[in-house]
Amino acid sequence: MIWTKTFWKGAGERAVKTWFQVFVAMTMLTAGTEMIPAVGIEGIPWVAVLSSATLSAVLSLATSIGNAEFTSSQF
């Protein structure tokens, strides 16, 4: 079931969406939406933000593999 194009299309889309959601959330949480002009882009801990987003995308893929039948049936 995980070797189908449909599965990887669904799993990939979910992983990319998860990555962007966590990236935005972590950026806002670490800098604060009001503080971005004051802190500046260099004040954001980018390693932590990117690491969290990437780990979340990997976990999203693992969840899709764990529930491959559902993932494949959605597309």
Side-chain angles (χ1 to χ4, degrees), residues 19 22-23 26 45-59:
W19 189 92
V22 173
F23 177 82
M26 287 295 296
W46 291 111
V47 173
V49 170
L50 294 171
S51 297
S52 298
T54 302
L55 178 59
S56 297
V58 169
L59 293 173

Side-chain angles (χ1 to χ4, degrees), residues 2-75:
I2 67 168
W3 304 116
T4 64
K5 183 178 177 180
T6 304
F7 170 81
W8 288 108
K9 182 179 176 185
E13 180 180 328
R14 286 181 182 88
V16 168
K17 286 178 180 179
T18 299
W19 189 92
F20 277 107
Q21 290 167 350
V22 173
F23 177 82
V24 170
M26 287 295 296
T27 302
M28 292 174 132
L29 284 173
T30 57
T33 55
E34 300 86 24
M35 294 178 56
I36 288 177
V39 173
I41 198 165
E42 67 277 353
I44 297 171
W46 291 111
V47 173
V49 170
L50 294 171
S51 297
S52 298
T54 302
L55 178 59
S56 297
V58 169
L59 293 173
S60 174
L61 283 173
T63 301
S64 293
I65 291 171
N67 196 1
E69 188 174 315
F70 178 79
T71 302
S72 295
S73 68
Q74 295 301 303
F75 284 89

